[in-house]
Amino acid sequence: MTGTQSSVAGSFAWKLFERFSVQGINLVVQIVLARIIAPEAFGALAILMIFVNIANIFVQKGFGSSLIRMKAVDDMDCDSAFWACEIIAALLFLILAFCSPYIASFFGVPELKSGLVVISTSLFLSGLSCIQNALLVRDMMFRAIFLRGLFSSVISGVVGIAMAVAGFGLWALVAQTVLNQLVLVLAMLSQVAWKPSFSFSFKRLRDIFDFGGSILVSELLSYAVEAARSLFIGREYTTAQLSYYDRGQTYPSTLMRGIYDAVGGVLLPVFSRLQDEPHKLACECTRYLSLVVYAVTPVFIIFAASSEAALVLLLTEKWLPAATFCTLFCFAQLFQPAQGVFRQAIYATGKSSVILKLEIVKDIVSIAFLIAFIPFGPIGVAISFVVSMAFSSILMGWAAAKLLPITSGMVFGATWKTAFASLLTFVVVWALNGLIGDYSIRLILQVVVGIGLYLLASKMVGSREQRFLLSYVSRRFSRRR
């Protein structure tokens, strides 16, 4: 790979380190909280987060991506986007506060009424955080992003755990969520030169929204379908069953969220520089596709095969019913890296409206899958998500190939070696579940065997990605000596 690619790999490594460090701390916090707090409280939080996350899409999505992609950004652009975010946040806060009694009544959980009002205050912080983060990403300041994320996760995690030990239950989870956003914003005040001022331009906002509007709607549609799955389980089944579904989804999605954010945060500015060179952009797209897929896949393959032992050891046996969901959601996440790379390539061409059209098609098909699998209960709902993710990955790749000179042969060549190594690894690691009863020994053996077998299988098929990553790591260690 070229020097430019090595530089991008360095940025990606920082971004990935930031995401994994932050998500890793959040994961540890969630594990500790899950050992203290009853599953029903996590089910209630899952319901709260559905409504807050939908509102957050209106506040955040579109504005940040637009500011990252724009060739030049000044204070007027940032101020216009910020005040638009805050106005939207205020309106949504009032709507959620008004609806909170009805939502609590609908799900039969009284605590949702006051919980939704308190957790919705984080919307105001999300708007400011969105602009700050976009400016740091534009300047590739991933080390700064890492530090503020680490700080906010530690502070909010300590407070959340302390409140859980004190017996606050659901309120410990709510406080941790709001405090995380607050500390995130405060930590960035000294890192970002821009500060909000009372200036606003409808013209600038319109320019920003020309690109970001499609992103906002596409993100909203995408999340709405997933929210429908959780809302169905929360309404038709118990909050405990929803918590098993939610925990099974949370850990794979937490791992992938860090990777997906790193892919988007690093590749969008890189791909955007090639927006006028489609052939070069197509080549870079498939190159990074092969690298990201190779690096990410073994994490989810090994996790899928060892989810039972992992969840019992981390959360105790009261969470064992979440293991099947965890395995299914690990499979679903395998399709995310390809979607992420293709999505950023499409954004780089300036065709964000294409993403919106794809989301509409994807969501219609996802709803059809959901309806088809609903009779099979919560497990069926999870399976519908796996099938939907596979379809979405194919759809996104097809769209990228329509805009750029990317062929199916290029995509196959970039991924088949990883697919072979991953399949072999999963079969062997999964087989260990029936051979070893002790969860601790089983998990250690599954992880060691899984990593070793994946590396060996990759070497057998002559994986170029493996050679590049080993060479990159070797160079980094050599410089430190």
Side-chain angles (χ1 to χ4, degrees), residues 398-450:
W398 172 82
K402 288 292 183 181
L403 296 171
L404 297 167
I406 299 173
T407 65
S408 57
M410 292 168 67
V411 175
F412 179 76
T415 56
W416 78 267
K417 293 178 181 178
T418 296
F420 170 79
S422 300
L423 180 61
L424 180 62
T425 301
F426 177 79
V427 171
V428 174
V429 175
W430 178 264
L432 295 175
N433 285 313
L435 300 177
I436 304 170
D438 185 275
Y439 288 120
S440 301
I441 297 174
R442 185 200 302 181
L443 182 60
I444 293 171
L445 192 60
Q446 285 177 317
V447 172
V448 172
V449 170

Side-chain angles (χ1 to χ4, degrees), residues 3-17 140 142-143 266 468 472 475-476 479:
T4 300
Q5 287 158 352
S6 293
S7 175
V8 172
S11 296
F12 183 75
W14 259 115
K15 182 66 175 176
L16 202 58
F17 183 51
M140 307 286 277
F142 298 113
R143 183 175 180 274
V266 174
F468 169 75
Y472 176 77
R475 289 197 306 273
R476 296 294 293 183
R479 290 174 188 171

